[in-house]
Amino acid sequence: MPDYPTAYDPARVLQHADFKILEDGTIPQRDTSKNVAAAYAPQAKLHLIEKPVPKPREGEVVVHVRATGICGSDCHFWKHGRIGDSMVVSNTCGAGHESAGEVYEVGPGVEGLKKGDRVALEAGLPCGECEICRIGRYNACPDVVFFSTPPYHGMLTRYHAHPASWVHRLPDSISFEEGALLEPLVVALAGIERAGLRLGDPLLICGAGPIGLISLLAARAAGATPIVITDIAQSRLDVAKQLVPGVKTVLVERGIEPKDVAAKIKKEAGLSLGLSVALECSGVESSVQTAVYASKFGGTVFVIGAGKDFQSLPFMHMSVNEIDLKFQYRYANQYPKAIRLVEAGLINLKPLVTHRFTLETAIEAFETAVDVTRGAIKVQIHDDAL
């Protein structure tokens, strides 16, 4: 694990950092001297704000962020003000944790990086000193600073200061757009790794949103077969077919019992006893239940999606069928692997970006991301030429 820069001060990205809210409803002129950002605020508000351009401190680089994807968690913080115990409590909190860009300025003590280097940014900064960090599972660090999770400002901004140990250099073959997509890819890779997916395993993916579709690409590269993917929207299943023509799809109709959906899944897979692994990417209670019923004896249901705090599960069915239920919290040690897979051409992320906006039109980008009628898979915000 990289050394954690002890000079880093989490207070630098607290939501109470110095900023001013730009006038709502206006689109500012692009001015690279201004550090514009998008931020959510209490009462389901979303603003463009202006922050000071940061100066790198010991062990840091300042990155000109060129591409940032809008994640479902960003939209959830905007619309609902919280995820679990993390809340937007006052003022505003900057959004964005799927980012890539180029090094703009290098701070003291940084080696191996220079101005102009193209990098992806790993959003979670652990303390590097606790027991969890020492065993390499730094995603569970209790003192982690995760950009865009209140109270810490995110990376959907023009200039962002970041510890050099937590940026990953991009090869020339990977664009900034793809670099920003590495963050959802590492979520999928962490899930596949912890689920124990093996070559030739029959796989169910529940949910054809961005994480589900990226999991589909990664699982295909990992050799899972057959793969069945479900969703409530036929349009997203159509995208899955375009990405992986051999995938089998099941449209989940509202009001259908999970057992009945599971029966359709097993029939589509041609496996009456069920599938070996299920990656549940929605967090919806009925979908988790479906994954359980679609699993064979000794199978694994791995939940990547985030759902409501308390859910009902078919406990005895899981017990008598020895079905393992596992969960994931973010990711650790996945970025180098993700970069290798994309560089080698084993995973093609390019088709996932369906909508692109400028930093100055970030509010419209968020509105597009939450409007199901616009057919967005991944919405990204770019700052000048990619």
Side-chain angles (χ1 to χ4, degrees):
M1 193 181 92
D3 292 332
Y4 185 74
T6 55
Y8 183 73
D9 179 6
R12 296 189 67 183
V13 288
L14 284 174
Q15 65 186 66
H16 303 291
D18 183 28
F19 65 86
K20 69 177 182 180
I21 297 175
L22 302 180
E23 185 178 351
D24 287 343
T26 62
I27 299 175
Q29 291 275 357
R30 185 170 187 273
D31 181 348
T32 56
S33 70
K34 308 253 185 215
N35 194 21
V36 176
Y40 22 74
Q43 287 81 54
K45 294 180 180 178
L46 193 65
H47 301 296
L48 288 182
I49 64 174
E50 185 183 327
K51 305 185 296 181
V53 176
K55 294 294 294 181
R57 291 169 29 172
E58 183 79 24
E60 286 184 338
V61 292
V62 171
V63 174
H64 181 180
V65 180
R66 297 303 187 107
T68 299
I70 296 178
C71 175
S73 64
D74 292 315
C75 296
H76 204 88
F77 277 125
W78 166 32
K79 290 294 188 179
H80 303 286
R82 66 181 299 160
I83 295 177
D85 293 331
S86 297
M87 292 180 289
V88 183
V89 293
S90 63
N91 293 326
T92 67
C93 184
H97 56 265
E98 302 176 4
S99 297
E102 62 182 343
V103 175
Y104 179 74
E105 190 173 356
V106 177
V110 174
E111 298 180 358
L113 287 170
K114 65 183 184 304
K115 182 178 174 65
D117 280 347
R118 302 164 63 260
V119 295
L121 299 162
E122 185 162 351
L125 310 180
C127 74
E129 299 176 354
C130 69
E131 178 181 353
I132 296 294
C133 286
R134 288 199 300 271
I135 64 173
R137 302 191 68 178
Y138 59 83
N139 54 308
C141 173
D143 295 318
V144 68
V145 171
F146 197 92
F147 293 108
S148 82
T149 296
Y152 303 113
H153 275 290
M155 302 187 298
L156 182 40
T157 184
R158 178 164 285 128
Y159 299 109
H160 169 76
H162 208 81
S165 297
W166 295 98
V167 303
H168 303 272
R169 187 184 283 109
L170 295 175
D172 291 340
S173 61
I174 297 181
S175 66
F176 291 127
E177 186 167 292
E178 294 169 283
L181 283 166
L182 291 173
E183 202 277 345
L185 175 57
V186 300
V187 172
L189 294 179
I192 285 174
E193 184 176 297
R194 278 188 32 81
L197 184 70
R198 299 169 299 181
L199 189 71
D201 274 348
L203 172 69
L204 168 64
I205 299 174
C206 297
I211 293 297
L213 293 173
I214 289 178
S215 295
L216 171 62
L217 292 171
R220 192 262 310 262
T225 188
I227 305 175
V228 181
I229 189 166
T230 68
D231 204 90
I232 60 173
Q234 184 61 49
S235 60
R236 292 200 163 189
L237 295 178
D238 293 342
V239 173
K241 275 283 190 185
Q242 292 167 11
L243 292 173
V244 179
V247 70
K248 301 176 185 299
T249 63
V250 171
L251 179 66
V252 180
E253 301 174 55
R254 296 186 186 276
I256 305 298
E257 290 296 316
K259 274 189 178 181
D260 295 329
V261 179
K264 291 176 65 176
I265 291 166
K266 289 188 278 190
K267 182 178 179 180
E268 191 67 35
L271 297 166
S272 60
L273 297 180
L275 292 84
S276 300
V277 179
L279 299 178
E280 207 300 307
C281 300
S282 74
V284 175
E285 182 178 284
S286 60
S287 184
V288 177
Q289 294 170 356
T290 296
V292 169
Y293 288 126
S295 297
K296 72 175 187 179
F297 185 94
T300 298
V301 174
F302 192 89
V303 180
I304 300 176
K308 62 183 183 180
D309 287 349
F310 295 93
Q311 300 194 19
S312 297
L313 296 171
F315 179 83
M316 285 310 301
H317 179 88
M318 296 170 66
S319 176
V320 300
N321 287 281
E322 293 188 2
I323 294 171
D324 293 332
L325 180 63
K326 295 184 176 182
F327 297 89
Q328 177 178 328
Y329 182 65
R330 293 176 179 158
Y331 45 81
N333 307 304
Q334 298 295 326
Y335 263 89
K337 182 199 303 183
I339 291 170
R340 291 194 300 268
L341 287 167
V342 176
E343 183 180 22
L346 293 172
I347 294 177
N348 180 16
L349 299 173
K350 294 177 182 177
L352 294 167
V353 180
T354 54
H355 295 73
R356 299 163 179 87
F357 293 85
T358 65
L359 183 56
E360 288 75 19
T361 58
I363 304 300
E364 184 183 353
F366 271 85
E367 291 168 348
T368 299
V370 298
D371 184 351
V372 295
T373 67
R374 302 197 196 184
I377 298 298
K378 177 58 67 175
V379 176
Q380 281 195 351
I381 295 165
H382 297 165
D383 192 38
D384 82 10
L386 300 184

